[in-house]
Amino acid sequence: MTALLNIKALNAFYGQVQALHGLEFTLDEGSVTTLLGANGAGKTTTLRAICNMVRTTGAIEFDGAPLSSRSTENIVRLGIAHVPQGRGTFTTMTVEENLQLGAITRSKSGVAADIERMYAHFPVLKQRHTQQAGTLSGGEQQMLAVARALMLRPRLMLLDEPSFGLAPLIVRDLFKILGKINREDKVTILVVEQNAQLALEIADQAYVIETGRIVMSGRANEIADNEDVRRSYLGY
Ligand code: ATP
């Protein structure tokens, strides 16, 4: 399998504070990868580093080409969509306007069909298409944030704690849809999670990060069976 994203010796800094220390990992094209870790381990920073939103040294290659000299906007145009923690939908705009905005970097052709495709993935968004995003439930807003990111037609989608603050049933639904999007729309996914259980169920590959360093990596099912992982992240 070819690597879509290849990260080597990645360090990240907030001023004098170093948040990532020599991170190395790859994402196979078409795979789902999860990055697990406790609060403050550096998961969000890893996603921000890929999008060039934090100062880094080291190498990040997307489809064989270096990303580090590119602006965040340019990285989005290359096909990397970032769904940050806390959703970030435009709350005073309707669901449909949010989806249209997601396609802003593309040509107009196919946008209407893609919106219908998003409604097929997330029927609740169709029911609410004229409703202001700010009036949606937390789960619906998270679905809208994912759908909006997909409107870019990304090759890679970065998701930061999509389960945060959502009821367990909604989280299960959301992860099921993410698995479907990966299989049907061929989107490579990197999902950062504290809620490891579901992330490991849909993932092919997993990495565990502690204090800015990768401490474990492997197939998701092997990581799920690891005793330390079970104790620290799965709670059994
Ligand atoms: P969480 O689940 O709490 O978001 P995380 O694994 O995503 O945790 P990061 O947010 O990436 O962790 O933080 C990694 C480290 O970088 C932490 O020690 C954090 O305190 C530090 N850090 C994060 N953002 C900043 C910032 N803006 N300024 C200074 N230090 C920061």
Side-chain angles (χ1 to χ4, degrees):
M1 223 180 267
T2 44
L4 182 62
L5 193 84
N6 197 356
I7 291 188
K8 278 197 199 125
L10 181 69
N11 300 310
F13 305 88
Y14 295 103
Q16 299 299 309
V17 178
Q18 184 166 356
L20 300 180
H21 303 263
L23 229 60
E24 311 245 339
F25 66 88
T26 58
L27 304 183
D28 290 335
E29 176 126 49
S31 67
V32 178
T33 303
T34 185
L35 187 61
L36 306 175
N39 253 329
K43 305 180 298 297
T44 297
T45 303
T46 304
L47 300 191
R48 303 189 73 204
I50 296 168
C51 299
N52 203 2
M53 295 165 75
V54 56
R55 189 168 70 81
T56 58
T57 62
I60 305 177
E61 280 179 8
F62 180 66
D63 207 12
L67 284 187
S68 29
S69 59
R70 293 178 179 269
S71 67
T72 301
E73 190 192 333
N74 210 267
I75 289 169
V76 171
R77 284 178 192 274
L78 279 180
I80 300 183
H82 182 200
V83 183
Q85 212 169 4
R87 291 145 210 166
T89 54
F90 296 101
T91 52
T92 60
M93 292 186 179
T94 67
V95 166
E96 191 139 324
E97 285 164 349
N98 268 276
L99 293 177
Q100 280 157 352
L101 265 181
I104 205 154
T105 58
R106 311 170 20 190
S107 71
K108 290 265 174 293
S109 77
V111 170
D114 281 3
I115 289 180
E116 284 309 315
R117 186 156 178 73
M118 290 310 127
Y119 289 155
H121 281 313
F122 303 99
V124 68
L125 296 182
K126 185 172 177 110
Q127 284 164 26
R128 308 213 183 289
H129 72 285
T130 58
Q131 200 169 313
Q132 280 194 349
T135 66
L136 300 176
S137 72
E140 291 160 356
Q141 286 194 39
Q142 187 59 272
M143 292 186 190
L144 178 58
V146 172
R148 194 184 62 188
L150 287 169
M151 287 299 295
L152 281 166
R153 288 199 184 166
R155 291 179 68 191
L156 171 62
M157 183 159 63
L158 310 173
L159 292 152
D160 198 347
E161 302 235 8
S163 74
F164 186 79
L166 303 184
L169 271 180
I170 308 275
V171 175
R172 186 160 278 282
D173 258 9
L174 181 65
F175 273 79
K176 213 190 278 173
I177 298 169
L178 291 176
K180 197 159 170 256
I181 286 164
N182 166 254
R183 288 189 305 276
E184 292 179 5
D185 301 354
K186 310 276 176 258
V187 182
T188 304
I189 294 178
L190 174 60
V191 57
V192 153
E193 265 299 340
Q194 276 194 61
N195 179 341
Q197 177 106 38
L198 276 171
L200 285 169
E201 274 178 32
I202 67 158
D204 304 294
Q205 193 76 18
Y207 293 91
V208 179
I209 181 170
E210 274 174 19
T211 55
R213 296 171 178 84
I214 300 281
V215 294
M216 205 183 294
S217 67
R219 307 278 315 157
N221 53 355
E222 290 163 11
I223 297 285
D225 284 341
N226 180 281
E227 208 169 304
D228 290 340
V229 170
R230 290 165 86 111
R231 204 167 338 129
S232 305
Y233 301 104
L234 299 172
Y236 58 87

Coordinates of all heavy atoms in Angstrom, one line a residue, residues 97-160:
E97 N -26.4 26.3 3.6 CA -25.4 27.3 3.3 C -24.0 26.9 3.8 O -23.0 27.1 3.2 CB -25.8 28.7 4.0 CG -26.9 29.4 3.2 CD -27.6 30.5 4.1 OE1 -27.3 30.6 5.3 OE2 -28.3 31.2 3.5
N98 N -24.0 26.2 5.0 CA -22.7 25.7 5.5 C -22.1 24.7 4.5 O -20.9 24.7 4.3 CB -23.0 25.0 6.8 CG -22.7 25.9 8.0 OD1 -21.6 26.1 8.5 ND2 -23.8 26.5 8.5
L99 N -23.0 23.8 3.9 CA -22.5 22.8 2.9 C -21.9 23.5 1.7 O -20.9 23.1 1.2 CB -23.6 21.8 2.6 CG -24.0 20.9 3.8 CD1 -25.1 20.0 3.3 CD2 -22.8 20.1 4.3
Q100 N -22.7 24.5 1.2 CA -22.2 25.3 0.1 C -20.8 25.9 0.3 O -19.9 25.9 -0.5 CB -23.2 26.3 -0.4 CG -24.4 25.8 -1.1 CD -25.6 26.6 -1.1 OE1 -25.7 27.6 -0.4 NE2 -26.6 26.2 -1.9
L101 N -20.7 26.5 1.5 CA -19.4 27.1 1.9 C -18.2 26.1 1.9 O -17.1 26.4 1.5 CB -19.5 27.7 3.3 CG -19.8 29.2 3.3 CD1 -19.9 29.6 4.8 CD2 -18.9 30.0 2.5
G102 N -18.6 24.9 2.2 CA -17.5 23.8 2.3 C -16.9 23.6 0.9 O -15.8 23.1 0.8
A103 N -17.7 23.9 -0.1 CA -17.2 23.7 -1.5 C -16.6 24.9 -2.1 O -16.3 24.9 -3.3 CB -18.4 23.2 -2.4
I104 N -16.3 25.9 -1.3 CA -15.9 27.2 -1.9 C -14.6 27.2 -2.7 O -14.4 27.9 -3.6 CB -15.9 28.2 -0.7 CG1 -16.1 29.7 -1.3 CG2 -14.6 28.1 0.1 CD1 -16.7 30.6 -0.2
T105 N -13.8 26.2 -2.3 CA -12.5 26.2 -3.0 C -12.6 25.4 -4.4 O -11.6 25.2 -5.1 CB -11.4 25.5 -2.2 OG1 -11.8 24.2 -1.8 CG2 -11.1 26.3 -0.9
R106 N -13.8 24.8 -4.6 CA -13.9 24.0 -5.9 C -14.7 24.8 -6.9 O -15.4 25.7 -6.7 CB -14.7 22.7 -5.6 CG -14.3 22.0 -4.5 CD -15.4 20.9 -4.2 NE -16.2 20.5 -5.2 CZ -17.3 19.7 -5.1 NH1 -17.6 19.2 -3.9 NH2 -18.1 19.4 -6.1
S107 N -14.7 24.2 -8.1 CA -15.5 24.8 -9.2 C -17.0 24.4 -8.8 O -17.2 23.4 -8.1 CB -15.1 24.2 -10.5 OG -15.5 22.8 -10.5
K108 N -17.9 25.1 -9.4 CA -19.3 24.9 -9.0 C -19.9 23.5 -9.5 O -20.9 23.1 -8.9 CB -20.2 26.0 -9.7 CG -20.0 27.4 -9.2 CD -21.1 27.7 -8.1 CE -20.9 29.0 -7.4 NZ -19.6 29.0 -6.6
S109 N -19.3 22.9 -10.4 CA -19.9 21.7 -11.0 C -19.9 20.6 -10.0 O -18.9 20.4 -9.3 CB -19.2 21.3 -12.3 OG -18.0 20.7 -12.0
G110 N -21.0 19.9 -9.9 CA -21.1 18.8 -9.0 C -21.4 19.2 -7.5 O -21.6 18.3 -6.7
V111 N -21.5 20.5 -7.2 CA -21.8 20.8 -5.8 C -23.2 20.4 -5.4 O -23.3 19.8 -4.3 CB -21.6 22.3 -5.6 CG1 -22.0 22.8 -4.2 CG2 -20.1 22.7 -5.8
A112 N -24.2 20.6 -6.2 CA -25.5 20.3 -5.8 C -25.6 18.8 -5.6 O -26.2 18.3 -4.7 CB -26.5 20.7 -6.9
A113 N -25.0 18.0 -6.5 CA -25.0 16.5 -6.4 C -24.3 16.1 -5.1 O -24.7 15.1 -4.4 CB -24.4 15.9 -7.6
D114 N -23.2 16.8 -4.8 CA -22.5 16.4 -3.5 C -23.3 16.7 -2.3 O -23.2 16.0 -1.3 CB -21.1 17.1 -3.5 CG -20.1 16.5 -4.3 OD1 -20.5 15.5 -5.0 OD2 -18.9 16.9 -4.3
I115 N -24.1 17.8 -2.4 CA -24.9 18.2 -1.2 C -26.0 17.0 -1.0 O -26.2 16.5 0.1 CB -25.6 19.5 -1.4 CG1 -24.6 20.7 -1.3 CG2 -26.7 19.7 -0.4 CD1 -25.1 22.1 -1.4
E116 N -26.5 16.6 -2.1 CA -27.5 15.4 -2.0 C -26.8 14.2 -1.4 O -27.4 13.4 -0.7 CB -28.1 15.1 -3.4 CG -29.1 16.1 -3.8 CD -30.2 16.4 -2.8 OE1 -30.7 15.4 -2.2 OE2 -30.5 17.6 -2.6
R117 N -25.5 14.0 -1.8 CA -24.8 12.8 -1.3 C -24.6 13.0 0.2 O -24.7 12.0 0.9 CB -23.4 12.8 -2.1 CG -22.6 11.6 -1.8 CD -21.6 11.3 -2.8 NE -20.9 10.1 -2.3 CZ -21.4 8.9 -2.3 NH1 -22.6 8.7 -2.7 NH2 -20.7 7.9 -1.8
M118 N -24.3 14.2 0.6 CA -24.2 14.4 2.1 C -25.5 14.1 2.8 O -25.5 13.6 3.9 CB -23.7 15.8 2.4 CG -22.3 16.1 2.0 SD -21.2 14.9 2.6 CE -20.4 14.4 1.1
Y119 N -26.6 14.5 2.2 CA -27.9 14.3 2.8 C -28.2 12.8 2.8 O -28.9 12.3 3.7 CB -29.0 15.0 2.0 CG -29.0 16.5 2.2 CD1 -29.6 17.4 1.2 CD2 -28.5 17.1 3.3 CE1 -29.6 18.7 1.4 CE2 -28.5 18.5 3.5 CZ -29.0 19.3 2.5 OH -29.0 20.6 2.6
A120 N -27.7 12.0 1.9 CA -27.9 10.6 1.9 C -27.0 10.0 3.1 O -27.5 9.1 3.8 CB -27.4 10.0 0.6
H121 N -25.8 10.5 3.3 CA -25.0 10.0 4.4 C -25.7 10.5 5.7 O -25.6 9.7 6.7 CB -23.6 10.6 4.4 CG -22.7 9.9 3.4 ND1 -22.5 8.6 3.4 CD2 -21.8 10.5 2.5 CE1 -21.6 8.3 2.4 NE2 -21.2 9.4 1.9
F122 N -26.2 11.7 5.8 CA -26.7 12.3 7.0 C -28.1 12.8 6.8 O -28.4 14.0 6.6 CB -25.8 13.5 7.4 CG -24.4 13.2 7.6 CD1 -23.5 13.5 6.6 CD2 -23.9 12.6 8.8 CE1 -22.1 13.2 6.8 CE2 -22.5 12.4 9.0 CZ -21.6 12.7 8.0
P123 N -29.1 11.8 6.8 CA -30.5 12.2 6.5 C -31.0 13.3 7.4 O -31.8 14.2 7.0 CB -31.3 10.9 6.7 CG -30.3 9.8 6.6 CD -29.0 10.4 7.0
V124 N -30.5 13.4 8.6 CA -31.0 14.4 9.6 C -30.7 15.8 9.1 O -31.4 16.8 9.3 CB -30.5 14.2 11.0 CG1 -29.0 14.4 11.1 CG2 -31.2 15.0 12.0
L125 N -29.6 15.9 8.3 CA -29.2 17.3 7.8 C -30.2 17.7 6.7 O -30.4 18.9 6.5 CB -27.8 17.3 7.3 CG -26.7 17.0 8.3 CD1 -25.3 17.1 7.7 CD2 -26.8 18.0 9.5
K126 N -30.7 16.7 6.0 CA -31.7 17.0 4.9 C -33.0 17.6 5.6 O -33.5 18.6 5.2 CB -32.0 15.8 4.1 CG -32.9 16.2 2.9 CD -33.1 15.0 1.9 CE -34.1 15.4 0.9 NZ -33.4 15.5 -0.4
Q127 N -33.4 16.9 6.6 CA -34.6 17.3 7.4 C -34.4 18.8 7.8 O -35.4 19.5 8.0 CB -34.8 16.5 8.6 CG -35.4 15.1 8.3 CD -35.2 14.2 9.6 OE1 -35.1 14.7 10.7 NE2 -35.2 12.9 9.3
R128 N -33.2 19.1 8.2 CA -32.9 20.4 8.8 C -32.2 21.4 7.9 O -31.6 22.3 8.3 CB -32.1 20.2 10.0 CG -32.6 19.2 11.0 CD -32.2 19.5 12.4 NE -32.7 18.5 13.4 CZ -33.9 18.3 13.7 NH1 -34.9 18.9 13.1 NH2 -34.2 17.3 14.6
H129 N -32.4 21.2 6.6 CA -31.5 22.0 5.7 C -31.7 23.5 5.7 O -30.8 24.2 5.4 CB -31.5 21.4 4.2 CG -32.8 21.7 3.5 ND1 -34.0 21.0 3.7 CD2 -33.1 22.6 2.5 CE1 -34.9 21.5 2.9 NE2 -34.4 22.4 2.2
T130 N -32.9 23.9 6.1 CA -33.1 25.4 6.1 C -32.9 26.0 7.6 O -33.1 27.1 7.8 CB -34.6 25.7 5.7 OG1 -35.5 25.0 6.6 CG2 -34.8 25.3 4.3
Q131 N -32.6 25.1 8.5 CA -32.4 25.5 9.9 C -31.0 26.1 10.1 O -30.0 25.7 9.5 CB -32.6 24.3 10.8 CG -32.9 24.6 12.2 CD -33.4 23.3 12.9 OE1 -34.2 22.5 12.4 NE2 -32.8 23.1 14.1
Q132 N -30.9 27.1 11.0 CA -29.6 27.7 11.3 C -28.8 26.7 12.0 O -29.3 26.0 13.0 CB -29.8 28.9 12.2 CG -30.2 30.2 11.5 CD -30.1 31.4 12.3 OE1 -29.9 31.3 13.6 NE2 -30.2 32.6 11.7
A133 N -27.5 26.6 11.7 CA -26.6 25.6 12.2 C -26.6 25.7 13.8 O -26.5 24.7 14.5 CB -25.2 25.7 11.6
G134 N -26.6 26.9 14.3 CA -26.5 27.1 15.7 C -27.6 26.5 16.5 O -27.5 26.4 17.7
T135 N -28.7 26.2 15.8 CA -29.9 25.7 16.6 C -29.9 24.1 16.5 O -30.8 23.5 17.0 CB -31.2 26.2 16.0 OG1 -31.3 25.7 14.6 CG2 -31.3 27.7 15.9
L136 N -28.9 23.5 15.9 CA -28.9 22.1 15.8 C -28.3 21.5 17.1 O -27.7 22.2 17.9 CB -27.9 21.6 14.7 CG -28.2 22.0 13.3 CD1 -27.1 21.6 12.3 CD2 -29.5 21.5 12.8
S137 N -28.6 20.2 17.4 CA -28.1 19.6 18.5 C -26.6 19.4 18.3 O -26.1 19.5 17.2 CB -28.7 18.2 18.8 OG -28.3 17.3 17.7
G138 N -25.9 19.0 19.4 CA -24.4 18.8 19.3 C -24.1 17.8 18.3 O -23.1 18.0 17.5
G139 N -24.8 16.7 18.3 CA -24.5 15.6 17.3 C -24.8 16.0 15.9 O -24.0 15.7 15.0
E140 N -25.9 16.8 15.7 CA -26.2 17.3 14.3 C -25.1 18.3 13.9 O -24.7 18.2 12.7 CB -27.6 17.9 14.3 CG -28.7 16.9 14.5 CD -30.0 17.5 15.0 OE1 -30.0 18.8 15.2 OE2 -31.0 16.8 15.1
Q141 N -24.6 19.1 14.8 CA -23.6 20.0 14.4 C -22.3 19.3 14.0 O -21.6 19.7 13.1 CB -23.3 21.0 15.5 CG -24.4 22.0 15.7 CD -24.1 23.2 16.6 OE1 -22.9 23.7 16.5 NE2 -25.0 23.7 17.4
Q142 N -22.0 18.2 14.8 CA -20.8 17.5 14.4 C -20.9 16.8 13.0 O -20.0 16.8 12.3 CB -20.5 16.4 15.5 CG -19.2 15.7 15.4 CD -18.0 16.6 15.4 OE1 -17.6 17.1 14.4 NE2 -17.5 16.8 16.6
M143 N -22.1 16.3 12.8 CA -22.4 15.7 11.5 C -22.2 16.8 10.4 O -21.7 16.5 9.3 CB -23.7 15.1 11.4 CG -23.7 13.8 12.3 SD -25.2 12.9 12.3 CE -24.9 11.8 13.7
L144 N -22.7 18.0 10.6 CA -22.6 19.1 9.7 C -21.2 19.4 9.4 O -20.7 19.7 8.3 CB -23.4 20.3 10.1 CG -23.4 21.5 9.2 CD1 -23.9 21.2 7.8 CD2 -24.2 22.7 9.8
A145 N -20.4 19.4 10.5 CA -19.0 19.8 10.4 C -18.2 18.8 9.5 O -17.4 19.1 8.6 CB -18.3 19.9 11.8
V146 N -18.6 17.5 9.7 CA -18.0 16.4 8.9 C -18.4 16.6 7.4 O -17.6 16.5 6.5 CB -18.3 15.0 9.4 CG1 -17.9 13.9 8.5 CG2 -17.7 14.8 10.8
A147 N -19.8 16.8 7.2 CA -20.3 16.9 5.9 C -19.7 18.1 5.2 O -19.3 18.0 4.0 CB -21.8 17.0 5.9
R148 N -19.6 19.2 5.9 CA -19.0 20.4 5.3 C -17.5 20.1 4.8 O -17.1 20.5 3.7 CB -19.0 21.6 6.2 CG -18.8 22.9 5.5 CD -18.7 24.0 6.4 NE -17.6 23.9 7.3 CZ -17.4 24.7 8.3 NH1 -18.2 25.7 8.5 NH2 -16.4 24.5 9.1
A149 N -16.8 19.4 5.7 CA -15.4 19.1 5.3 C -15.4 18.2 4.0 O -14.5 18.4 3.2 CB -14.7 18.4 6.5
L150 N -16.3 17.3 3.9 CA -16.4 16.4 2.8 C -16.7 17.1 1.5 O -16.4 16.6 0.4 CB -17.4 15.2 3.1 CG -16.9 14.2 4.1 CD1 -18.1 13.3 4.4 CD2 -15.7 13.4 3.5
M151 N -17.4 18.2 1.6 CA -17.8 19.0 0.4 C -16.5 19.5 -0.3 O -16.6 19.8 -1.5 CB -18.7 20.2 0.8 CG -20.1 19.8 1.2 SD -21.0 19.0 -0.1 CE -21.1 20.3 -1.3
L152 N -15.4 19.5 0.3 CA -14.1 19.8 -0.4 C -13.7 18.7 -1.3 O -12.7 18.8 -2.1 CB -13.0 19.9 0.7 CG -12.8 21.1 1.5 CD1 -11.9 20.8 2.6 CD2 -12.2 22.2 0.6
R153 N -14.3 17.5 -1.2 CA -13.9 16.3 -1.9 C -12.4 16.0 -1.5 O -11.5 15.9 -2.3 CB -14.0 16.4 -3.4 CG -15.4 16.4 -3.9 CD -15.4 16.0 -5.3 NE -16.7 16.1 -5.9 CZ -17.0 16.1 -7.2 NH1 -16.0 16.1 -8.1 NH2 -18.2 16.1 -7.6
P154 N -12.2 15.9 -0.2 CA -10.8 15.8 0.3 C -10.3 14.4 0.0 O -11.1 13.4 -0.2 CB -10.9 16.0 1.8 CG -12.3 15.5 2.1 CD -13.1 15.9 0.9
R155 N -9.0 14.2 -0.1 CA -8.4 12.9 -0.2 C -8.1 12.4 1.2 O -8.0 11.2 1.5 CB -7.1 12.9 -1.0 CG -7.3 13.2 -2.4 CD -6.0 13.2 -3.2 NE -5.4 12.0 -3.2 CZ -4.1 11.8 -3.7 NH1 -3.4 12.8 -4.1 NH2 -3.6 10.6 -3.7
L156 N -7.9 13.4 2.1 CA -7.6 13.1 3.5 C -8.4 13.9 4.4 O -8.5 15.1 4.2 CB -6.1 13.4 3.8 CG -5.6 13.3 5.3 CD1 -5.8 11.9 5.8 CD2 -4.1 13.7 5.3
M157 N -9.1 13.3 5.4 CA -9.9 14.1 6.4 C -9.3 13.9 7.8 O -9.0 12.7 8.2 CB -11.3 13.6 6.3 CG -12.2 14.5 7.3 SD -14.0 14.4 6.9 CE -14.3 12.7 7.1
L158 N -9.0 15.0 8.4 CA -8.5 15.0 9.8 C -9.6 15.3 10.8 O -10.2 16.4 10.6 CB -7.3 16.0 9.9 CG -6.3 16.0 8.8 CD1 -5.3 17.2 9.0 CD2 -5.5 14.7 8.9
L159 N -9.8 14.4 11.7 CA -10.9 14.7 12.6 C -10.4 14.8 14.1 O -9.8 13.8 14.5 CB -11.9 13.5 12.6 CG -12.7 13.4 11.3 CD1 -13.1 11.9 11.0 CD2 -14.0 14.2 11.3
D160 N -10.7 15.9 14.7 CA -10.3 16.0 16.1 C -11.4 15.8 17.1 O -12.3 16.6 17.2 CB -9.7 17.5 16.3 CG -8.8 17.6 17.5 OD1 -8.8 16.6 18.3 OD2 -8.1 18.6 17.6

